Amino acid sequence: MTETIDIKVTRIKESKLPGVDFDNIPFGRIYTDHMFMADYIDGKWQNFEILPYGPLELDPATTTLHYAQSIFEGLKAYKSESGETLVFRPFANFERLNKSAERMCIPEVPKELYEQGMKALLEIDNDWIPEEVGKSLYIRPFVFGTDDFIGIRPSDNYKFMIITCPVGSYYAEPVSVKIETHYTRAAKGGVGYAKTAGNYAASLYPAKLAAQEGYQQLIWTDGQDHKYIEESGTMNIMFRIDDTLITPHTGDSVLPGITRDSVLKLARDWGYKVEERKISVDEVVKAAQEGRIQEAFGTGTAATIAHIKKIGYEGADYELPPIKEREWSNKFLKELDMIKYGQAEDKFGWNYKL
Ligand code: COI
């Protein structure tokens, strides 16, 4: 039986909601009225609290600020036509959060804490969930070490928090990506599969260099030889080549994306030919040169299905087919949206109703 946790609630005096322009929401900049917080002290989770969204007071020696003992998740809540709140696959994120926790020596987050904290926060800030298809409430659970200690060891104390923000699309346009063959995102035996802060910090400089050349994202390759495609940093990557959906398998250097998994399940269900395997840079470049890449796209919670319009490699750019001709990725996007907004049968049981 699930234990009920006791959450102290302090409501905001005046909601910020009337000041929000839902027609122009920048991704990840506008936060709802409240946040959820819990502390891990003396070996147990306690102090469950919903309070007005606002800054935290942290000791300058807080271990996370120095050594990045920090993990997070990203998932979304949607409003159905009938006004129900639907959260997409929250327990898949829960499982991944705790896999990241294990790798980063962070204590496990109990299911009741994750579920009831999120539920209570979504109930109190329910009016913030956009109603329009294409918009949603992004949910960001995260855990970080809070010891004020200069030295390398796991923190004894942690905070688990959930913040939320209304969002539209992460990429407003199809993206141009560059195959990265110098810098490395993740190494075998490293933390690439964990959703941990440092993975993203390490990606900033190579991404900045690529942006100077006009690319919005990188396609990361394996850390050893830079011969095999891995992921795209903000998303997993998929190709439709010769009518086969091909995506790198995840292993320990690629984030096991939940949108990735959802697309693969739909593709298999629809009878598409699917291959999760090693995919070499040579194979992708050759297919691009021969015009055999029918579609390429990223998958992610923030990115949803992000069409890739151009792939850059060693100074050459390969333009991919027009977006409107991309039957498979457009169909994945449509079907996922229909399920998330409660307009299609949820045959895999992905939606969690509040
Ligand atoms: C997500 O897709 O939820 C992420 O955390 C990626 C980030 C670019 C927002």
Side-chain angles (χ1 to χ4, degrees):
M1 213 183 70
T2 315
E3 205 184 305
T4 304
I5 62 164
D6 197 9
I7 304 175
K8 177 181 167 206
V9 178
T10 311
R11 283 177 180 267
I12 199 163
K13 289 205 175 66
E14 200 179 328
S15 173
K16 298 173 291 188
L17 192 52
V20 178
D21 175 7
F22 276 84
D23 291 330
N24 295 295
I25 18 177
F27 197 99
R29 293 211 175 265
I30 295 163
Y31 299 95
T32 61
D33 287 331
H34 299 91
M35 58 190 188
F36 176 80
M37 197 149 87
D39 293 313
Y40 187 84
I41 302 172
D42 293 336
K44 79 179 213 294
W45 288 105
Q46 49 195 290
N47 304 336
F48 313 129
E49 196 176 357
I50 284 182
L51 64 165
Y53 185 94
L56 302 174
E57 191 171 300
L58 293 175
D59 191 286
T62 299
T63 182
T64 294
L65 300 178
H66 303 263
Y67 309 117
Q69 202 195 1
S70 162
I71 55 170
F72 65 96
E73 273 303 324
L75 64 161
K76 285 176 173 168
Y78 302 82
K79 264 279 148 76
S80 75
E81 268 170 354
S82 59
E84 271 176 327
T85 299
L86 305 172
V87 187
F88 190 68
R89 305 194 68 181
F91 299 112
N93 292 87
F94 170 71
E95 278 166 27
R96 191 172 64 183
L97 181 75
N98 277 331
K99 287 206 175 93
S100 302
E102 184 189 27
R103 181 64 179 85
M104 302 308 291
C105 286
I106 288 175
E108 193 174 311
V109 175
K111 192 166 175 208
E112 61 269 16
L113 173 57
Y114 173 87
E115 181 177 0
Q116 292 173 39
M118 188 178 300
K119 194 161 178 268
L121 184 62
L122 291 180
E123 274 163 2
I124 201 165
D125 281 344
N126 203 267
D127 290 345
W128 285 81
I129 305 174
E131 283 169 8
E132 209 180 303
V133 172
K135 293 180 182 155
S136 56
L137 192 76
Y138 186 82
I139 306 169
R140 168 54 58 89
F142 57 109
V143 192
F144 59 98
T146 53
D147 281 10
D148 48 352
F149 173 67
I150 301 277
I152 307 299
R153 60 144 173 80
S155 187
D156 287 329
N157 301 288
Y158 296 84
K159 268 194 194 302
F160 168 56
M161 297 189 62
I162 308 176
I163 56 174
T164 56
C165 50
V167 294
S169 46
Y170 187 77
Y171 294 111
E173 301 282 338
V175 291
S176 300
V177 295
K178 182 186 148 186
I179 299 179
E180 176 61 64
T181 51
H182 176 70
Y183 295 101
T184 296
R185 175 188 172 273
K188 233 175 158 5
V191 298
Y193 71 91
K195 211 160 169 63
T196 183
N199 282 338
Y200 295 80
S203 74
L204 297 176
Y205 182 65
K208 178 177 142 183
L209 298 181
Q212 285 163 0
E213 298 174 57
Y215 301 100
Q216 286 88 39
Q217 255 309 326
L218 294 169
I219 298 181
W220 294 104
T221 52
D222 69 282
Q224 198 163 323
D225 304 313
H226 297 292
K227 274 192 179 155
Y228 294 94
I229 303 286
E230 297 228 304
E231 62 160 89
S232 195
T234 50
M235 47 198 190
N236 295 107
I237 189 159
M238 300 199 178
F239 302 91
R240 178 183 169 199
I241 300 175
D242 299 333
D243 277 329
T244 303
L245 188 70
I246 309 172
T247 193
H249 51 57
T250 51
D252 61 1
S253 56
V254 173
L255 190 83
I258 289 147
T259 309
R260 173 188 181 278
D261 180 72
S262 307
V263 165
L264 293 178
K265 285 200 165 73
L266 286 177
R268 289 187 168 116
D269 189 53
W270 293 342
Y272 291 177
K273 194 170 168 213
V274 176
E275 291 178 1
E276 276 180 86
R277 61 165 168 86
K278 276 187 148 187
I279 173 163
S280 70
V281 174
D282 285 352
E283 180 181 352
V284 168
V285 171
K286 189 162 183 288
Q289 284 165 343
E290 292 170 358
R292 287 184 299 109
I293 302 189
Q294 296 156 291
E295 312 186 28
F297 56 99
T299 61
T301 297
T304 64
I305 304 288
H307 295 293
I308 294 173
K309 64 175 181 200
K310 190 169 82 181
I311 298 178
Y313 177 62
E314 288 187 340
D317 278 335
Y318 301 96
E319 299 283 344
L320 303 182
I323 308 305
K324 60 177 185 326
E325 289 172 16
R326 302 191 184 189
E327 195 196 319
W328 288 16
S329 42
N330 285 322
K331 194 170 163 199
F332 292 133
L333 180 60
K334 185 155 183 234
E335 182 68 13
L336 283 173
D337 271 351
M338 301 261 290
I339 296 171
K340 291 168 177 176
Y341 291 94
Q343 294 168 9
E345 188 203 348
D346 178 20
K347 67 188 273 193
F348 298 98
W350 285 336
N351 284 333
Y352 172 87
K353 283 189 194 146
L354 207 62

